[in-house]
Each structure stands twice: as C-alpha cells, then as structure tokens.
Amino acid sequence: MGSFDVPLEDERIQLDAFVEEYRSAIEATLDGLTEEQARRRLVSSATTLLGLLKHVTWMQRIWFEECVGGTSRRELGLVQIPDESFRLADDDTVASVTAAHREACATARAVVADLPLDAVVTGHRTGPRTLRWVYLQVLRELAHHCGHADILREQVLAG
C-alpha cells in the first residue's frame, strides 16, 4: 500500500467523523443566540443562521433519504428546490429546527449503516451515484454552509 492509500474501513470512519464534525459545527453557530438573532437577515438573500440549519437538514434528507433511500422528495414532504429550503416558517425555532436536523442525521446514519462506500445508489434525479460520492457531496455542502454560518454569526454578534 502506498503512503496515501487508506484501508476502506478507515476511509469510512474518517468520512463519518468529518460529516459529524460539520453537523455539530453548524448547530453550534446557533449556540446562545436569541430567536431574533438566529432569524436575522444580514445579506441580500434569504440566508439566515436558522435558515442555513434548515437548508442543511433538507440537503441531508435529499442525499440520504432520497438518493440513497430511494424515497422521493414529494413522498418525504420536502420542498422541491434548494432555495425554498432556506425559508423559515413562523413556527420555526432554534429548538425545532435543531431537533429536525438531529432527526435527519439519525435517519441518515441508519440509511447508510449497512452499505459499503462502493454501493451504487439510484435515487438521485441525475442518475446513479456511489455512496462514497454522496458522502463527499454532503461533506462539501456542510463545509460550504458552515463557512457561511461562521461569518453570519460573527456579524450577528458584532451587531
């Protein structure tokens, strides 16, 4: 094995660890904030800290429940397009959105538990993907949105 080869079981452990780290990090951006601060719009788009957590919850449900699990967005009761997933309902709170995120994460863990990274999943609209590809896509999106959330939190706390 070359120095950059990683045994498959170690690769899975590392992917799971990275995903869990970013799941925790995006939740942590809401720590200690009021409901108003979590909903505060500081950019021209509808992006808010609470909206980011709602979006990554939706995103993970798309990748793990639709793409891997094979259940359609409509059957899951999910909005159809990403922009809609940032929108907050009047009754969305830090507690309710965090609970929904944790539930989606638990479901995601269960969906992938018995699948190898090379498993081909067919629930995505654009065609088959490997589970490894799904992990990398989710990791990419979580990291991307954690960066947004860090900046928004900094702005909220400065204001």
Side-chain angles (χ1 to χ4, degrees), residues 44 51 92 115 139:
S44 59
D92 283 333
L115 296 174
L139 194 56

Side-chain angles (χ1 to χ4, degrees), residues 82-98:
D83 285 352
E84 293 175 5
S85 69
F86 287 89
R87 292 201 186 111
L88 297 172
D90 290 343
D91 61 347
D92 283 333
T93 64
V94 171
S96 70
V97 175
T98 299

Side-chain angles (χ1 to χ4, degrees), residues 22 26 52 142-152:
Y22 281 110
I26 199 152
L52 279 167
L142 284 169
H144 182 75
H145 293 306
C146 277
H148 294 150
D150 285 343
I151 291 168
L152 286 178

Side-chain angles (χ1 to χ4, degrees), residues 115-133:
L115 296 174
L117 290 175
D118 291 329
V120 175
V121 296
T122 59
H124 193 265
R125 294 173 176 192
T126 59
R129 301 278 187 262
T130 63
L131 182 59
R132 178 181 289 103
W133 189 96

Side-chain angles (χ1 to χ4, degrees), residues 40-59:
R40 191 178 297 167
R41 285 182 61 176
L42 297 165
V43 292
S44 59
S45 72
T47 304
T48 63
L49 282 165
L50 192 58
L52 279 167
L53 185 59
K54 190 169 183 176
H55 168 73
V56 299
T57 300
W58 174 87
M59 175 272 295

